Amino acid sequence: MGDLKRTVLHDMHLALGARMVPFAGYDMPVQYASGVMKEHLHTREKAGLFDVSHMGQVILRPASGDVEGAALALEALVPVDVAGLAEGRQRYAVFTAEDGGILDDLMIARRADHLFLVVNAACKAEDIAHLRAHLPDQVTVEEITDRALLALQGPEAERVLSALLPGAAGMRFMDSAVFDSQFGALWVSRSGYTGEDGYEVSVPEAHAVAFAEALLADNDLQPIGLGARDSLRLEAGLCLYGADIDTGTSPVEADLVWSIQKVRRSGGARAGGFPGAETILRQIDEGASRKRVGLLPDGRAPMRAGTEIYAQESGGHPVGTVTSGAFGPSIGQPMSMAYVSVDCAEKGRKLWGEVRGKRLPALVAAMPFHPHAYKR
Amino acid sequence: MKYTEDHEWLRVEDDLVLVGITEHASEQLGDIVFVELPELETQVSKGDEVVVIESVKAASDILAPVDGEVVEVNDKLVDNPGLVNEDPTGDAWFFKLKVDDLSVLDELMDEDEYKDLIG
């Protein structure tokens, strides 16, 4: 506990009454005084401010200024169309392993003379080592350690941020832009991890507290902890690395084929060429044996991570396992993500989860559980 | 009111023992989203897992604080688990126990002793 890292907003969290927990090596707010349920609902109704400064921010800078070249080089590590990403746009990606597993998931933004990556806190050291080991010498991998990262999420996020930064209002979902401001250069993307409209803002550490305080002066914006961040992302059907995706799951099993653009699939102009391509492209063409699905339990008992899923009410062997499960405050019922064998994965299929020795019914359900509200 | 080290409270009404969780426990658990109550007429021994509650964070068991028979359960909590957070020591009792000898409660903590426990 003694060597937990702190974000630059740590004192602010304490002053706001946060309960702190260790998370990915950082001492982070899990909730504030109002609690997970109210924080979740407030984000969907108004807006929430999340400190995500623990996440890794990385710049890939081509020595020559050739962003196209850096994009093509990065394509050797991700099954994503990076070269086709327009300047000022951002895209979801995964780093794949040679066996087709997932090393991490990340965001890639293309900016004027470089690529900007945001990776998971728990994976950032490995990700940076992976990038340095595999990218050509002409592409410099710069870990950004002097910037905080804040997310504003919810229907009031546009109004709250654009009061300080008028240019933010003109952005659309997955736009990425740099703005000069009284808080220094802000790196802004219109994206997030809640299913709501909103922004993620990288701010110089020297200005981060003043920036957060200026935002929180608007009463519609409340600070939100990791607890509500998790229930929000789960309602939105978004994967948590380390729970729903990891080195043991392929992007096809994880139902992330949408993130692999056609140009990188079999028959595409730049098909394959990423770690695990053979396995992953074969699974796209022929199907995988299991799939990530949504599950809605019939009663109020949450089916949490590790709950075994069965195709019948008694006997038999498990056909799957829950990877994330919680109560969904906005949908008013429990929800889970699970991997189940493909013959049990069709929507509406009735399955059973074994909770405390009892098999409880649940239906395979479409995700997101709560509709996305992105401003496209 | 009497208290246990498991942060439960006990209150005697009409010779029956009502059992709930303390305000401190409800705050620590966070928002309660699920309550599973025991069957009526269940004979329980001190330490038995009688009730399952789940908060936004995790599942927890409510243990029988003394030996007895479950003679009533608070069905309201099944449809409205959040009542445990709103009124933990009032309306949000979980079950009523018929106990042979109410003097077993004398061994439990009183309010001052419980306050010392939670600091």
Side-chain angles (χ1 to χ4, degrees), chain A residues 41-181:
Chain A
L41 295 170
H42 184 89
T43 304
R44 295 240 187 271
E45 193 182 327
K46 303 277 192 179
L49 181 70
F50 303 74
D51 180 12
V52 288
S53 304
H54 56 313
M55 298 187 78
Q57 304 182 58
V58 182
I59 279 180
L60 303 185
R61 197 180 298 280
S64 58
D66 171 24
V67 191
E68 186 83 9
L72 284 168
L74 182 58
E75 286 193 356
L77 300 179
V78 298
V80 168
D81 177 10
V82 187
L85 196 55
E87 186 181 330
R89 295 287 292 163
Q90 169 175 293
R91 185 163 271 171
Y92 177 80
V94 294
F95 286 123
T96 50
E98 290 298 341
D99 63 359
I102 299 174
L103 300 173
D104 195 9
D105 63 344
L106 69 152
M107 285 291 184
I108 303 169
R110 179 164 178 169
R111 304 209 301 220
D113 60 358
H114 63 268
L115 299 171
F116 177 55
L117 276 46
V118 177
V119 303
N120 280 302
C123 303
K124 62 185 176 186
E126 291 89 342
D127 289 346
I128 287 164
H130 183 62
L131 287 162
R132 289 193 172 132
H134 295 284
L135 290 180
D137 292 343
Q138 304 92 297
V139 180
T140 315
V141 180
E142 300 171 16
E143 181 178 8
I144 307 299
T145 55
D146 57 355
R147 284 180 162 266
L149 192 64
L150 301 180
L152 286 86
Q153 300 281 292
E156 296 295 324
E158 178 185 290
R159 186 186 60 70
V160 174
L161 182 60
S162 57
L164 296 177
L165 201 66
M171 301 174 72
R172 62 191 175 94
F173 183 58
M174 292 297 220
D175 276 352
S176 172
V178 175
F179 295 97
D180 280 323
S181 79

Side-chain angles (χ1 to χ4, degrees), chain A residues 288-290 319 340-346 349 351:
Chain A
S289 61
R290 59 178 189 150
V319 295
V340 299
S341 86
V342 281
D343 55 328
C344 297
E346 74 272 25
R349 171 74 181 251
L351 298 171

Side-chain angles (χ1 to χ4, degrees), chain B residues 15-75:
Chain B
D15 290 334
L16 298 176
V17 178
L18 280 67
V19 180
I21 61 168
T22 65
E23 183 131 11
H24 172 77
S26 90
E27 280 170 14
Q28 291 297 311
L29 291 167
D31 301 302
I32 307 295
V33 297
F34 172 74
V35 173
E36 186 176 273
L37 297 167
E39 309 238 340
L40 291 180
E41 298 174 22
T42 309
Q43 295 289 336
V44 298
S45 302
K46 181 178 175 178
D48 286 355
E49 296 162 2
V50 182
V51 174
V52 177
I53 58 176
E54 296 222 22
S55 75
V56 286
K57 292 172 212 151
S60 319
D61 295 309
I62 306 291
L63 309 178
V66 292
D67 298 352
E69 179 189 351
V70 177
V71 293
E72 202 176 330
V73 296
N74 191 354
D75 288 320

Side-chain angles (χ1 to χ4, degrees), chain A residues 361-376:
Chain A
L363 295 181
V364 176
M367 290 188 284
F369 299 113
H370 181 85
H372 292 161
Y374 301 140
K375 191 183 169 188
R376 291 185 190 273

